[in-house]
Amino acid sequence: MAPTPPRPASRNKMLGEKSTDSVERERNRSLSPRPKKNKQAVAHKHVSTVKDNDIFLLPARDYEIMFALTALAAAVRLFRIWQPTSVVFDEVHFGGFATKYIKGKFFMDVHPPLAKMLIALVGWLAGFNGNFDFKEIGKDYLEPGVPYVAMRMLPAIMGILVVPMMFLTLKAAGCSTATATLGAGFITFENGLLTQARLILLDSPLVCFTAATAMAWTSFLNVHEQGHSQAFSPTWWFWLATTGLFLGATVSVKWVGLFTIAWVGILTVMQLWFLLGDTKNVSARLWFKHFFARVLCLIVIPVAFYMAMFAIHFICLVNPGDGDGFMSSEFQSTLNNKGMRDAPADVAYGARVSIRHWNTQGGYLHSHAHMYPTGSKQQQVTLYPHKDNNNIWVFENQTNPENGVGIGGFDEVSPPIFIQDGARIRLYHVATDRRLHSHDLRPPITEADWQNEVSAYGHKGFTGDANDVFRVEIIKHMSDGPIAKERLRAIQTKFKLVHTMTGCVLFSHKVKLPDWGFEQQEVTCAKSATLPNSVWYIEQNEHPQLQGEGIEKINYRKPGFFGKFWELQKVMWRTNAGLVESHTWDSRPEIWPFLTRGINFWGKEHRQIYLLGNPLIWWSSTVAIAIYAIFKGIALLRWQRGYRDYDIENFRRFDYELGVAVLGWALHYFPFYLMKRQLFLHHYFPALFFAIATLCQLFDFVTNRIRLFGLSGRPAFGWIATLVFLVLSIVVFGLFQPIAYGNPWTKSQCKQVKLLKGWDWDCNTFYDTYDQYSSAASSTPPISGGASPTSSGKKGNNGKKEMKDINAIKAKGAPPPKDDTTAAPKNAPVHQPVAGKIVKREEHIEYRDQDGNLLNEEQVKALEGQVEFKTRYETKTRLLDQAGNELPEDYKIEDGDILEIIEPAPQGVNEETKKGEKVIVPKDEPVKAAVEPQSMKQEDSPDVLKEAKPASEAQSETEEQ
């Protein structure tokens, strides 16, 4: 191999090389490696020269600057935090979870509970009673008195804390005060972090705990690099344990914290690897002491913290809720009023049973009096996740007993005949008098040749046909106990139902029926069914002859904490992986570093909130990552060719310090490429923190450490560069702040800064001038997110019908009308100059009984306290002039018209305008037509996996009797 050319001595000096060796000596060093002993000595010398950057021992001036920056961040984050005064984006979910915590109703979410519990705690301390449901974007906070500002303060304060944490992290890494100021300023004026921190969302707590972990770990690295004498000192233990605590907090907010754990874990493995090689200073006993100290602080503490958060979560959520359908029956039995009564263990002909699917979150075999729109057009059979009277079936034999009474007489057979393995049975649906049935027709959704339709067929008194017969096949290796392997036993026996005529097996999978099937899960008969999806078991079991003393009873074994914890982790994982449906504002990781698209959060009253970062900060941090990647590639090539660049202290420190930050960025960014689920811009925020840290460290080396640029001895230049960079960032921040705060903006200003096509907010949302905002505020009653002023006026073509105050309707117990102020009337533009006549859009509430009959005001009043109100939304728009006269549907809004959104509730009924029909159901009757409107589906919630609704003829979720 040809010898490696020597490095010029002058270049060594420019890069900050302190050695005065001659060129000849450098050549000799490059041709032959130094002995291992010398390498260890040099390494030890390098460690001893590392400066101690203890963040508790900074100059007073540094603390003054840090507190001033924190105060500035507080002013920026808390400015007009009360606006908007209505629900914004995912406040629908995370505010709604606070409601469920306060009411103790179990829910299922794909995120761990820490941040949600903190938000709920703040709301509770502020007086929130949980009676606001956060169901819709734009729903008003003011009229119901929701302490939303207090709840928003928690993410805001945590967003503020990221600023001093970035300052201290950079100081712990050895950066100058000017560089630390630059990093804190970048966090302060980053528009995306600002937007997230002002709302009831989880990303601000996530970034806060990520930053806290980075600060603690960097401080630990500082102590570690001081040498072996500092190992196991109080400061060493403090920062190592603090790192573990913050790791636990980070992963307890979102599972993105696993990437933070991976970052610390990789660096820890590297530490242990180098300690293992330091045989001079680290004995085997001492190495194991290092190892177990890290296991305790970086594994045991985070895991214990994480599990403790779920323990509190379970303590808070003790009542049934809309999330218990995701959990097993064993899990549900631990909730109040959800425990199943002890049931007879043996199953006999004539038993009334509920049959549960073993897989797909354990729904019940269900039918209701609605027909398939295609295929046989017979009655639907579905899987429904909640307990319901429409889940009850009766086991029948192929022939009815003679002179029997009851349903087929099976309940009178004495002694009862137990159902054995291989028995041929029929299943009679009690609520509709039809039998489970299958035939060689394709299902309405899964139209595969190997799938047959399953329906309920027949009528009362009908003896059935051959397509009603199924054979019981017990799956012995899945059944518990020897008796359960021979005959059907509740809970213990797992079995298949094989259709005797076609040989297909009763089957269900994660396919939802459309609206005509109430989004319940499809049930088919599959000829090649996979085992988990064709396994069933009996839960509820009642038989008139299997009652009283001496009858063996059975029930679920209630799981302890660890059983519940592990089950919930699995359900969270499956649900998170299932969030694959596309979303209007989702994006993929490859565009995040370039900020080519944001997220529309909210829009109303000619204002908008749109999640977008500060382009200057965002793009500069991406360039810094690219610079390090190029540097590392060149450094590796030179190292392979024998160059001794890593003997240069600045070179080595540059690679190590920036490498730590870039590793954090990479581990918080690249794993998203492996995910097929919905992803959004805010998933990049933890990676952005590390990208900003990389940018600042690059800035510090250029302005303060590398002699090549001639700036290392001129701290004034570093401050000047910091101020210039910050001023530019503030200017860019100011250009985009209207869509961060939801402030007034003009169309022209909007269009000037809309640089990229992917920035898809609508500049036409805004007025032409700021004066129009003032004029609109003075001429139109303020409306925010569905809050309606007390108003009166005339209604109808003759202008004589009086409009009732909306509050009068609210006083009757009906919920307020659905807010729809962001939508314009048909053929009518929303944005008009303030002049001319007022064009009003009117919305009101109607009351109907379960059969669809209209109820007048007197009837509604008479039913108060005796019925439940379920909301069904329909919206039609009418245009009225200022006198209350109705305008024709094809009326074109003229220049100068004002569009005023009003929500009065008129006396009487108008068939042309329906808003919020109230379905009246007596409390002692089954709830019918309980189909609620769906809020705008956002990411990171199981709501995206549409919860099955009760059918109009079915009963709603019922408690175990």
Side-chain angles (χ1 to χ4, degrees), residues 57 237 470:
L57 301 176
W237 277 110
F470 289 80

Side-chain angles (χ1 to χ4, degrees), residues 389 850 866-868 920-928 954-956 958:
N389 285 345
Q850 64 268 34
Q866 305 176 29
V867 299
E868 293 182 37
I920 311 301
V921 184
K923 287 186 176 179
D924 57 352
E925 292 286 330
V927 178
K928 300 181 180 180
Q955 299 184 18
S956 67
T958 58

Side-chain angles (χ1 to χ4, degrees), residues 568-736:
L568 184 55
Q569 304 308 301
K570 293 189 290 185
V571 171
M572 289 166 60
W573 179 270
R574 287 197 303 265
T575 307
N576 192 41
L579 299 175
V580 295
E581 295 181 2
S582 61
H583 188 280
T584 306
W585 301 102
D586 61 10
S587 56
R588 298 307 301 171
E590 55 267 19
I591 72 171
W592 295 344
F594 307 103
L595 195 63
T596 57
R597 195 179 190 222
I599 308 173
N600 186 26
F601 270 17
W602 176 89
K604 187 177 292 184
E605 298 171 344
H606 303 278
R607 305 169 192 238
Q608 192 167 1
I609 293 180
Y610 186 92
L611 182 67
L612 189 75
N614 185 314
L616 177 63
I617 298 172
W618 208 285
W619 293 336
S620 298
S621 65
T622 301
V623 170
I625 297 291
I627 289 174
Y628 176 80
I630 295 171
F631 160 82
K632 187 66 176 178
I634 295 174
L636 288 174
L637 290 174
R638 288 176 57 83
W639 173 80
Q640 183 68 15
R641 294 296 298 169
Y643 285 86
R644 307 299 294 266
D645 296 328
Y646 282 95
D647 289 341
I648 305 172
E649 184 170 353
N650 265 350
F651 191 98
R652 186 178 62 257
R653 297 302 302 179
F654 181 91
D655 181 47
Y656 173 72
E657 292 179 16
L658 268 74
V660 168
V662 172
L663 178 65
W665 171 85
L667 289 172
H668 287 81
Y669 173 62
F670 287 113
F672 287 106
Y673 281 90
L674 305 177
M675 299 182 188
K676 297 180 181 180
R677 54 151 294 171
Q678 292 174 350
L679 296 173
F680 297 83
L681 180 66
H682 56 73
H683 285 118
Y684 185 71
F685 283 152
L688 179 64
F689 176 87
F690 288 100
I692 292 175
T694 303
L695 171 62
C696 293
Q697 289 178 300
L698 176 63
F699 175 89
D700 191 72
F701 273 92
V702 171
T703 60
N704 190 50
R705 301 201 216 178
I706 299 178
R707 297 179 181 179
L708 172 66
F709 303 105
L711 304 175
S712 59
R714 301 179 183 180
F717 182 85
W719 278 106
I720 293 172
T722 295
L723 292 176
V724 170
F725 219 151
L726 281 180
V727 167
L728 292 175
S729 300
I730 294 170
V731 170
V732 176
F733 169 84
L735 293 175
F736 292 94

